[in-house]
Amino acid sequence: MTKFIFITGGVVSSLGKGITAASLGTLLKRRGFRVSIIKMDPYLNVDAGTMNPFQHGEVFVTDDGSETDLDLGHYERFIDERLNCDNSVTAGKIYQEVVRKERAGRYNGGTVQVIPHVTNEIQENILRVAKDYDVVIAEIGGTVGDIEGLPFLEAIRQISGRVGRGNVLYCHVTLIPYISAAGELKTKPTQHSVNELRRIGIQPDIIVCRSQLPLLQELKDKIALFCSVANDSIFEAIDADTIYSVPLSLQKQGLDKLVIARLGLQYSEEIDLEDWFEFLEKRVHPERELEIALVGKYTGIKDAYMSVNEALLHAAIHNQVNAVIRPIETEEIEKLGADNVLKGVHGILVPGGFGSRGMEGKIASAGYARENNIPYFGLCLGLHAAIIDFSRNVAQLALANSSEMDPGTPNPVVHIMEEQKTVDKLGGTMRLGAYPCRLEDGSRSRRAYGQSDISERHRHRYEFNNSYRERLDVAGMVVTGLYLEKNLAEIMEIPSHPWFVGVQFHPEFLSRPMRPHPLFRDFIAAAKEYASR
Ligand code: GLN
């Protein structure tokens, strides 16, 4: 029988529900259980693909090409499982399905309502994931009390009647604010949010309290008493300097054991978290510091490049360095010049992006890295920027542009993909998800991966124009990774440069703390070498 753990949030958003879900998933997986995690977002967008990074942070892409909430990235990195469209559910997706069924006459003339039709659809989505797993964790986005969240809370209330209350745990993540004038931690907002949950019929089993300071036992007892939760079921989540310490802290407090006991799960294995301890240990003993420029358009938004930041961190820890990321607004480069803005960095990374704004700054960054032998890593749009710089300044191609920058350019070096020419420009029309790629023997990428055939995740509409392949090749920028079936350039390198690699895909999505992505790993290794010269 599959067990279900539902994670809700109270008081305010951004409490780290996603990290709590991912941490609990990690601990259960390390206990030998098969674990999956679902994110349920109450917003009406069908998926995260059409959302601006300013509002919603990064769009995380899975193998099957689903464009999802960035929490799925945390889940994949923590539990080290590949997720898919079933792990990402939004109210928009649910309503779309309900309306589709209504149009198809599937409700037999009944009045279609939030309860039971929408709530049933939500439950079906949860149960669909359950069949292959011992434990399914479902995180409900937003905060208890949000209007949009109600059908989701009602659905997770009802599900315990379907699968048995003993197979379900409700975990509420809440805030215990510190009021400095009183010098006290306050439990009242938590009491209110638990009351709100109870009003809808959900009695939490576990409360995870986010706070700035440790919670004394008295305070935990008070929360337990007012919220009708057992004394051993109140956990603290103190602000941590890295998200990767959260599983260890929750484990130390006994969260995994409590969950296992409450759900009646059987386990024999002792938990092995040695590699996590080592990872965190290495993090605090770097050999040196490096500065890596991250040239983008959303650098003011912490979450916009979440997976890129995480992948850089994994690679840095592996290389025993502290990689300080210097966020650079690409328009700064356009105003002040690349040499003024990028001076002193040990590596330059240009991540993915959309639209023509700021493109010249990215092209100039690639050029600066190329001319000064600074390690360069271009991801998707970052590859396009590198191709344009190289075409203009080395291969001497007069019309080196991207049709994304200037749709009128005749024969641009980066052009819209054939399949994309006919589709509507807005929403869900890109080349998405995992595609195979063959690596060129002897290339930097081939050495990094240690194998010839790889698979990486995509999210783009434009690509390298193959009619320029010869010209660039002769000038010294070569295609080293190919999607054979369609002869598409997936990786390009400048072999005469110490480390210059651009990729059409998004390697950042596959990096794991214990297994840094090979290209990120080697990029940081090259930056370390550059810095020590
Ligand atoms: N905007 C570019 C394209 O659509 C790059 C996309 C990206 O960087 N993910 O091809």
Side-chain angles (χ1 to χ4, degrees):
M1 178 73 210
T2 306
K3 311 289 182 178
F4 297 87
I5 302 170
F6 296 109
I7 315 265
T8 54
V11 183
V12 292
S13 59
S14 308
L15 282 180
K17 280 191 310 257
I19 300 298
T20 305
S23 299
L24 182 53
T26 306
L27 297 177
L28 293 173
K29 193 172 169 200
R30 296 289 178 119
R31 288 272 181 201
F33 300 108
R34 293 169 304 158
V35 181
S36 193
I37 313 189
I38 312 175
K39 176 74 191 282
M40 313 207 101
D41 276 307
Y43 50 70
L44 288 174
N45 303 62
V46 174
D47 62 34
T50 52
M51 291 165 110
N52 186 319
F54 277 123
Q55 285 199 14
H56 206 68
E58 151 188 296
V59 175
F60 187 80
V61 180
T62 52
D63 277 346
D64 67 352
S66 302
E67 299 177 277
T68 72
D69 186 87
L70 55 78
D71 272 323
L72 265 84
H74 291 312
Y75 302 165
E76 282 206 351
R77 288 186 282 272
F78 274 65
I79 65 171
D80 199 6
E81 294 272 335
R82 294 194 177 210
L83 305 176
N84 60 46
C85 62
D86 290 338
N87 299 90
S88 175
V89 177
T90 68
K93 188 169 165 184
I94 296 289
Y95 278 96
Q96 193 182 44
E97 186 54 15
V98 169
V99 171
R100 190 192 65 76
K101 286 183 179 164
E102 188 276 333
R103 291 289 83 187
R106 297 267 297 278
Y107 296 117
N108 298 327
T111 308
V112 181
Q113 293 175 299
V114 172
I115 305 172
H117 301 100
V118 169
T119 47
N120 280 350
E121 192 63 41
I122 296 170
Q123 292 178 63
E124 296 311 326
N125 272 268
I126 298 170
L127 296 172
R128 187 179 309 140
V129 175
K131 58 185 187 310
D132 301 321
Y133 294 95
D134 301 315
V135 182
V136 171
I137 300 173
E139 175 195 347
I140 315 298
T143 308
V144 170
D146 297 345
I147 290 176
E148 295 92 340
L150 278 174
F152 287 91
L153 296 175
E154 174 59 17
I156 63 168
R157 183 190 71 78
Q158 288 179 15
I159 218 168
S160 73
R162 242 162 119 163
V163 303
R165 182 65 177 90
N167 295 317
V168 172
L169 268 187
Y170 297 104
C171 172
H172 192 54
V173 181
T174 173
L175 177 72
I176 306 289
Y178 176 71
I179 306 298
S180 53
E184 269 180 57
L185 289 166
K186 292 293 185 187
T187 64
K188 189 71 89 193
T190 296
Q191 297 174 36
H192 280 297
S193 88
V194 169
N195 276 342
E196 192 65 24
L197 256 187
R198 287 213 206 105
R199 217 163 55 81
I200 341 176
I202 296 175
Q203 167 62 51
D205 299 294
I206 293 171
I207 298 182
V208 174
C209 303
R210 181 75 185 268
S211 99
Q212 278 172 274
L213 300 171
L215 305 186
L216 296 176
Q217 191 56 45
E218 293 162 61
L219 202 90
K220 290 188 185 172
D221 292 344
K222 185 173 169 191
I223 299 168
L225 180 67
F226 280 99
C227 301
S228 311
V229 170
N231 290 51
D232 64 357
S233 303
I234 311 288
F235 293 85
E236 64 181 25
I238 302 176
D239 297 352
D241 65 343
T242 166
I243 53 175
Y244 297 105
S245 66
V246 177
L248 301 181
S249 151
L250 291 173
Q251 205 273 329
K252 208 164 139 202
Q253 297 174 62
L255 178 66
D256 52 330
K257 283 205 165 130
L258 182 94
V259 165
I260 287 168
R262 288 288 195 91
L263 287 172
L265 287 162
Q266 302 298 325
Y267 75 98
S268 50
E269 298 167 49
E270 271 311 302
I271 192 159
D272 180 6
L273 292 164
E274 205 43 48
D275 51 349
W276 278 78
F277 281 109
E278 267 167 35
F279 174 80
L280 290 174
E281 182 61 25
K282 253 174 136 178
R283 178 179 164 269
V284 290
H285 297 293
E287 286 167 12
R288 64 161 301 146
E289 194 170 287
L290 296 180
E291 226 183 309
I292 305 294
L294 178 68
V295 183
K297 278 198 295 197
Y298 314 106
T299 48
I301 313 294
K302 198 170 109 284
D303 289 351
Y305 301 108
M306 178 70 84
S307 294
V308 173
N309 285 321
E310 293 303 312
L312 284 170
L313 177 75
H314 305 158
I317 293 177
H318 179 90
N319 282 293
Q320 300 216 291
V321 294
N322 174 21
V324 177
I325 296 169
R326 195 202 289 183
I328 290 173
E329 269 299 317
T330 164
E331 282 167 310
E332 284 292 290
I333 295 176
E334 292 171 6
K335 269 188 254 147
L336 305 171
D339 24 346
N340 289 318
V341 182
L342 294 169
K343 203 169 211 89
V345 301
H346 307 114
I348 297 175
L349 188 150
V350 177
F354 290 85
S356 57
R357 178 174 73 85
M359 190 60 185
E360 288 298 337
K362 297 182 183 184
I363 297 167
S365 306
Y368 182 78
R370 179 180 51 73
E371 282 173 354
N372 294 287
N373 286 326
I374 302 170
Y376 178 84
F377 196 13
L379 315 180
C380 205
L381 195 66
L383 164 68
H384 301 170
I387 293 170
I388 294 168
D389 161 65
F390 194 86
S391 306
R392 284 181 188 169
N393 300 312
V394 183
Q396 304 293 336
L397 294 170
L399 288 170
N401 247 346
S402 152
S403 51
E404 179 170 34
M405 299 160 67
D406 176 4
T409 320
N411 224 10
V413 284
V414 174
H415 62 179
I416 191 141
M417 300 181 68
E418 203 46 49
E419 300 95 289
Q420 303 300 330
K421 285 187 180 154
T422 48
V423 289
D424 176 6
K425 286 251 158 68
L426 287 172
T429 59
M430 287 181 275
R431 178 180 180 216
L432 285 167
Y435 285 85
C437 171
R438 169 71 51 84
L439 305 175
E440 181 75 24
D441 278 342
S443 64
R444 205 158 266 141
S445 310
R446 172 69 183 74
R447 282 198 303 269
Y449 283 95
Q451 64 197 67
S452 306
D453 289 287
I454 57 157
S455 162
E456 290 279 0
R457 296 175 182 173
H458 292 250
R459 181 172 186 252
H460 65 111
R461 231 173 248 130
Y462 299 86
E463 62 172 350
F464 174 52
N465 182 345
N466 265 330
S467 50
Y468 291 108
R469 191 153 163 202
E470 275 288 328
R471 301 272 298 271
L472 291 201
D473 199 292
V474 169
M477 179 182 250
V478 299
V479 174
T480 57
L482 262 190
Y483 172 42
L484 293 175
E485 196 185 311
K486 296 244 165 105
N487 195 31
L488 301 183
E490 300 279 44
I491 309 181
M492 295 175 74
E493 300 180 18
I494 301 178
S496 63
H497 184 285
W499 208 91
F500 196 106
V501 179
V503 294
Q504 183 55 80
F505 45 80
H506 289 280
E508 67 270 25
F509 296 142
L510 294 183
S511 186
R512 303 282 187 262
M514 312 308 150
R515 238 177 324 107
H517 189 283
L519 292 178
F520 275 90
R521 183 199 64 210
D522 286 10
F523 169 62
I524 293 295
K528 188 178 177 185
E529 203 177 307
Y530 175 84
S532 63
R533 277 196 319 213

